[in-house]
Amino acid sequence: MEAPNVVNMFFGIVGGLGIFLLGMKSMSDGMQAIAGANLRRMIGAVTHYRLMATSVGIIVTCVVQSSSITTVLVIGSVNSGVMNLTQAIGVIMGANIGTTVTGWILVLNIGKYGLPLLGLMSLLYLFVKSDRWRFLALTLMGVGMIFFGLELMKDACAAIKDMPAFEDWFQRFQADSYLGVWKCVLVGCVLTILVQSSSATLGITISLAYQGVISYDTA
């Protein structure tokens, strides 16, 4: 019975991760089509104060679910002269705070609304003629996919509790020593390099901690 469980868990994590990343891309494409240069100008206009710049970084990253997209927007704004370096640093700091909203999606159990949101926005995207409404639907489809992907990963990670071999393997990574901390940091670095998304790494990590597979310190 172990093998089918392992396969189902693997499919759940990989499928959830794929849907999550596709959702991020869909939302990014939709947002850039709707806002694009206007968003960059708006960011430049309201980031004259450091606290405001950080707040903008948090809000934009919460909306687009990607600190990388926010950072790219900021770099483009600096290159075009819309924003100076001091403003850019504040926005990027805020972006790194905003990326933690992934954790709230998991903890507050709002991931279950991802699938109906995805379904409704798919119908809107397919049957509406207006480009603006279609891009808005694409953006919200991305949000739905992000929610649904996180929910799939969380459910897949729950199966690890029934697999002693996997649980024992995860127990090797304990942040109870300097070497243990560095091992945990290395795992996080490698996973983020592979999937190119710190939000995805955060989602997997929180799912494992939520199910009790790894400790709080390790997460």
Side-chain angles (χ1 to χ4, degrees), residues 1-9 163:
M1 293 297 291
E2 185 85 6
N5 289 338
V6 172
V7 171
N8 290 336
M9 182 197 71
M163 301 176 192

Side-chain angles (χ1 to χ4, degrees), residues 12 16 20 105-106 109-114 145-157 207:
F20 177 88
I105 294 172
L106 286 166
N109 286 321
I110 58 177
K112 60 187 176 183
Y113 302 113
M145 283 190 276
I146 287 170
F147 284 11
F148 185 51
L150 286 171
E151 192 72 7
L152 285 178
M153 286 191 285
K154 185 178 78 173
D155 292 343
C157 288
S207 295

Side-chain angles (χ1 to χ4, degrees), residues 24-47:
M24 286 182 61
K25 185 179 185 309
S26 298
M27 188 164 59
S28 169
D29 292 345
M31 284 286 294
Q32 288 185 24
I34 293 170
N38 292 329
L39 184 59
R40 282 197 292 270
R41 283 195 293 271
M42 183 193 73
I43 291 172
V46 299
T47 53

Side-chain angles (χ1 to χ4, degrees), residues 72-217:
V72 168
L73 285 170
V74 169
I75 291 170
S77 299
V78 172
N79 287 337
S80 61
V82 175
M83 186 185 302
N84 61 40
L85 183 61
T86 304
Q87 292 170 291
I89 291 171
V91 176
I92 291 171
M93 288 292 290
N96 286 296
I97 298 170
T99 197
T100 60
V101 75
T102 303
W104 289 103
I105 294 172
L106 286 166
V107 172
L108 297 176
N109 286 321
I110 58 177
K112 60 187 176 183
Y113 302 113
L115 192 57
L117 178 62
L118 173 58
L120 289 171
M121 291 303 108
S122 298
L123 293 173
L124 187 64
Y125 181 78
L126 289 171
F127 295 110
V128 169
K129 303 280 188 187
S130 167
D131 284 343
R132 188 169 186 83
W133 279 102
R134 291 183 79 242
F135 284 126
L136 178 60
L138 181 64
T139 302
L140 293 176
M141 277 170 59
V143 174
M145 283 190 276
I146 287 170
F147 284 11
F148 185 51
L150 286 171
E151 192 72 7
L152 285 178
M153 286 191 285
K154 185 178 78 173
D155 292 343
C157 288
I160 294 175
K161 292 296 290 181
D162 300 323
M163 301 176 192
F166 271 90
E167 195 165 6
D168 290 343
W169 185 82
F170 277 107
Q171 294 308 314
R172 297 180 185 179
F173 300 98
Q174 295 291 335
D176 53 4
S177 64
Y178 285 116
L179 179 60
V181 170
W182 280 109
K183 284 165 67 178
C184 295
V185 170
L186 182 62
V187 169
C189 287
V190 171
L191 187 56
T192 303
I193 289 169
L194 289 174
V195 301
Q196 279 295 296
S197 171
S198 58
S199 294
T201 304
L202 189 65
I204 293 169
T205 304
I206 292 174
S207 295
L208 292 169
Y210 186 81
Q211 302 298 340
V213 176
I214 59 175
S215 67
Y216 173 81
D217 293 335

